[in-house]
Amino acid sequence: MTGGVPKEHSCKQTPTMNCDTNPLEAGLDYFIKLNKPADFIGKAALQEIKAKGLKRKLSYITLDTDNIDPEGNETVWYNGKVVGNTTSGAYSYSSQQSLAFAYLPPDLCSVGQKVEVELLGKKYPAMVIQEPLVLTEPTRTRLQKKAKGKA
C-alpha cells in the first residue's frame, strides 16, 4: 500500500488497464496530449472517444463490509442493476477501511455517490470517494500542475 492506495495503483497500472479499457476511462488523460501537433498511435481513436463521451470512468470507492475485502472483478450495483465492476481492492491500514477501484458510468462517479458491491454473493454499501486519501509528493505535484493548467 502507498498512502492508503494499493501499491500497484499508485500510478493506475494494471489490472486497472487492459485491452478493453482506454486511458481516458482510466483517468490517465493527464498524460495524453491530444492537442499536440505530433501524431501518435491511437491519437485519432482517443480523439473520437473523447468527442463521443466516456461510457465509464475509473472511480475510487470505499466499502462498508463485515470483515471481507474486495480483491477485484466484483460486480457493482446501483438501483438493482449491474453498472460496473471493481478492478482491484484491499483493506487500507492507513485509512482503516476497505478500498477499491471500480469502473462506473460517468453519472455515478461523483464524490459521495452511493452504490453496492457484491462480495461472495452479498451486496455491501459502497461510496465514491476523492482520490487519493493520502497526498504523496508526486500526487501533490501532479495536482498542482493540473490546477495551473485549468487556470
Side-chain angles (χ1 to χ4, degrees):
M1 289 282 206
T2 303
V5 180
K7 190 176 250 180
E8 69 272 12
H9 290 294
S10 56
C11 291
K12 292 188 177 171
Q13 298 171 0
T14 56
T16 303
M17 288 285 300
N18 62 31
C19 62
D20 296 323
T21 307
N22 69 66
L24 301 177
E25 292 174 333
L28 297 173
D29 49 314
Y30 176 77
F31 300 103
I32 302 166
K33 307 298 181 213
L34 292 175
N35 58 350
K36 80 189 234 184
D39 200 18
F40 57 87
I41 295 172
K43 181 177 181 180
L46 289 173
Q47 287 172 326
E48 185 179 334
I49 290 167
K50 187 173 183 178
K52 287 182 179 178
L54 298 178
K55 294 181 181 172
R56 63 186 189 155
K57 288 174 56 178
L58 187 65
S59 297
Y60 200 35
I61 61 174
T62 181
L63 293 88
D64 185 16
T65 66
D66 53 8
N67 205 23
I68 183 172
D69 299 308
E71 294 180 357
N73 207 31
E74 290 92 9
T75 304
V76 180
W77 295 78
Y78 179 73
N79 282 344
K81 295 182 180 178
V82 174
V83 294
N85 65 288
T86 63
T87 61
S88 63
Y91 183 79
S92 168
Y93 289 96
S94 61
S95 66
Q96 298 292 298
Q97 57 190 336
S98 290
L99 303 172
F101 282 101
Y103 279 107
L104 300 172
D107 60 326
L108 296 179
C109 293
S110 300
V111 172
Q113 175 67 54
K114 296 187 185 306
V115 293
E116 294 178 303
V117 176
E118 187 174 340
L119 301 168
L120 299 177
K122 182 178 176 185
K123 294 178 189 170
Y124 292 91
M127 183 174 64
V128 175
I129 58 173
Q130 183 68 44
E131 180 195 349
L133 292 178
V134 178
L135 291 177
T136 60
E137 181 60 33
T139 303
R140 282 192 300 273
T141 302
R142 179 176 53 88
L143 291 174
Q144 288 169 351
K145 285 181 181 178
K146 194 172 187 179
K148 284 180 185 177
K150 289 183 179 179

